């Protein structure tokens, strides 16, 4: 009897599996056009994201180009130890985290404020003009941006220093003084990305039901009350999701920007992990060490994303 019941259960499980497979296949065939459209994106991630992940093995080897990937000797965690025990580890880690947190604090809030302000504009042509002017800097490379900063802030012929000289102030070498480099990094990043970041929030604001504002006005709510009780809750999930994404890049302080703005005079306040990896991995060909640092950053980013997502779920339930 026991064997018969076991065989019956096995047959039932197989029939359930076949039923699920048949149902899934029918669903795939029903939406086959959409799946075909999705296929190039899936191939992109497999070819350029997942297959190259085998390269993290270099972090555990003393990689030698002459010996190749497989014949290079294994060294375990030595590359990680060399990075953490290095003389510059705490300095570049402090610079990276400090710059990233300043960007997260000011650069994350700025697009939200801009989107809220633009959303209150009722004149259509002025609204479109502001949107265009604010998101155009996103398409300017950091090379050109730094050139503009040199034209404005250089101690000799910079526009700002010329104005300061006219009013009797001593010129300041903004781009070579350590005290000024971080404010310049943060402010230039906000100027460049604030308009582009506001686009998503404007799209979320457009999706808020206008009847909610009408109900709030009928209840006597002021503009500030409407903002607090209608507008911000309406875009809360978008804010949380973008915050989680932004938090995952807390160790990516912006290589292009820092590489352009960092120099010998301000390196003590601007040198970050990415610029250090560039020098070690590209200039000095310590590929294993550079790969180990990349793995180190990825692990921390993964932990931050998972932790932030758990906090977000407790804060506002399941947001996905």
């Amino acid at each position: 009897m026991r064997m018969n019941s076991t065989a019956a259960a096995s047959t039932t499980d197989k029939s359930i599996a076949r039923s699920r497979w048949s149902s899934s296949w029918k669903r795939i065939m029903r939406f086959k056009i959409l799946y075909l459209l999705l296929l190039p994106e899936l191939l992109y991630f497999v070819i350029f994201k997942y297959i190259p992940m085998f390269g993290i093995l270099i972090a555990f080897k003393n990689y030698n180009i002459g010996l190749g990937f497989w014949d290079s000797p294994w060294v375990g965690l030595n590359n990680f130890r060399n990075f953490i025990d290095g003389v510059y580890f705490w300095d570049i880690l402090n610079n990276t985290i400090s710059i990233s947190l300043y960007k997260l604090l000011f650069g994350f809030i700025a697009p939200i404020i801009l989107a809220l302000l633009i959303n209150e504009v009722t004149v259509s042509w002025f609204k479109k003009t502001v949107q265009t002017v604010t998101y155009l800097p996103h398409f300017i490379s950091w090379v050109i941006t730094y050139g503009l900063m040199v034209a404005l802030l250089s101690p000799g012929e910079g526009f700002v220093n010329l104005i300061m000289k006219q009013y009797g102030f001593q010129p300041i070498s903004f781009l070579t003084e350590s005290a000024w480099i971080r404010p310049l990094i943060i402010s230039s990043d906000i100027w460049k990305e604030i308009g582009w970041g506001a686009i998503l929030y404007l799209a979320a604001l457009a999706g808020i039901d206008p009847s909610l504002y009408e109900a709030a006005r009928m209840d006597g709510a002021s503009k500030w009350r409407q903002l607090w009780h209608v507008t911000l809750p309406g875009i809360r999930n978008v804010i949380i999701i973008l915050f989680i994404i932004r938090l995952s890049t807390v160790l990516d302080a912006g290589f292009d920007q820092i590489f352009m703005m960092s120099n010998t005079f301000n390196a003590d306040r601007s040198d970050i992990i990415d610029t250090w990896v560039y020098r070690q991995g590209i200039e000095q060909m310590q590929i294993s060490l550079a790969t180990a640092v990349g793995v180190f950053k990825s692990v921390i980013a993964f932990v931050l994303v998972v932790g932030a997502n758990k906090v977000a779920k407790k804060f506002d339930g399941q947001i996905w």
Side-chain angles (χ1 to χ4, degrees):
M1 290 292 294
R2 185 176 300 175
M3 291 182 64
N4 291 336
S5 61
T6 303
S10 176
T11 303
T12 303
D13 291 340
K14 289 180 180 179
S15 63
I16 292 174
R18 283 195 298 268
S19 177
R20 288 178 177 174
W21 169 253
S22 177
S23 177
S24 299
W25 179 251
K26 288 179 180 178
R27 190 180 300 112
I28 291 173
M29 293 305 296
R30 181 183 176 186
F31 300 104
K32 57 181 178 298
I33 301 300
L34 296 178
Y35 283 109
L36 287 174
L37 292 174
L38 183 63
L39 185 60
E41 188 71 13
L42 292 176
L43 289 175
Y44 166 79
F45 275 96
V46 170
I47 296 172
F48 295 103
K49 300 295 182 180
Y50 286 98
I51 293 177
M53 286 177 66
F54 288 103
I56 65 174
L57 294 176
I58 294 176
F60 306 94
K61 287 172 167 275
N62 183 15
Y63 180 69
N64 186 297
I65 296 178
L67 295 176
F69 180 81
W70 298 110
D71 294 330
S72 296
W74 293 92
V75 294
L77 299 176
N78 283 355
N79 291 314
F80 296 91
R81 295 193 189 98
N82 292 337
F83 173 61
I84 295 174
D85 294 338
V87 65
Y88 298 110
F89 173 74
W90 291 110
D91 291 334
I92 62 175
L93 185 64
N94 175 62
N95 289 340
T96 303
I97 294 176
S98 297
I99 293 173
S100 293
L101 289 180
Y102 282 132
K103 284 186 175 182
L104 184 64
L105 177 62
F106 298 105
F108 184 76
I109 297 175
I112 300 175
I113 296 174
L114 177 63
L116 294 174
L117 293 174
I118 293 177
N119 190 57
E120 294 299 321
V121 177
T122 56
V123 182
S124 178
W125 68 266
F126 183 73
K127 185 175 184 177
K128 293 179 180 179
T129 302
V130 172
Q131 284 183 262
T132 302
V133 170
T134 53
Y135 77 63
L136 276 179
H138 171 79
F139 300 99
I140 301 176
S141 70
W142 278 112
V143 176
I144 297 175
T145 302
Y146 184 70
L148 294 174
M149 295 174 68
V150 170
L152 290 172
L153 302 174
S154 63
E157 300 297 328
F159 178 76
V160 174
N161 278 308
L162 289 177
I163 298 296
M164 292 176 64
K165 288 178 183 178
Q166 289 184 359
Y167 287 93
F169 294 99
Q170 290 295 322
I172 300 174
S173 183
F174 293 99
L175 299 174
T176 57
E177 290 191 9
S178 296
W180 283 98
I181 188 61
R182 287 186 184 175
L184 289 177
I185 290 172
I186 307 305
S187 58
S188 60
D189 182 72
I190 292 174
W191 171 79
K192 194 171 184 297
E193 301 297 338
I194 185 173
W196 187 254
I199 292 176
L200 290 176
Y201 298 110
L202 287 170
L205 289 169
I208 299 176
D209 189 354
S211 63
L212 296 176
Y213 290 104
E214 294 176 6
R217 284 193 293 269
M218 290 179 65
D219 289 339
S222 63
K223 279 290 184 181
W224 286 108
R225 287 291 182 182
Q226 293 175 41
L227 172 67
W228 187 255
H229 294 288
V230 178
T231 306
L232 289 179
I235 62 173
R236 178 172 53 194
N237 287 348
V238 176
I239 293 174
I240 293 173
I241 292 172
L242 292 180
F243 178 77
I244 292 173
I245 296 173
R246 188 72 178 266
L247 190 63
S248 68
T249 62
V250 73
L251 291 184
D252 292 324
F255 171 77
D256 294 345
Q257 180 189 21
I258 306 299
F259 184 75
M260 291 304 305
M261 299 180 65
S262 179
N263 52 57
T264 305
F265 304 100
N266 58 35
D268 60 318
R269 304 268 293 179
S270 63
D271 194 22
I272 60 173
I273 292 176
D274 288 340
T275 54
W276 184 86
V277 167
Y278 171 80
R279 292 196 302 273
Q280 299 298 317
I282 304 300
E283 295 181 355
Q284 300 185 22
M285 293 300 293
Q286 297 186 33
I287 299 175
S288 296
L289 181 60
T291 306
V293 177
V295 175
F296 170 80
K297 288 177 55 182
S298 299
V299 170
I300 293 179
F302 177 77
V303 172
L304 289 173
V305 169
V306 173
N309 195 28
K310 288 183 179 292
V311 172
K313 288 178 181 178
K314 291 181 179 179
F315 174 75
D316 195 42
Q318 179 67 38
I319 63 174
W320 303 105

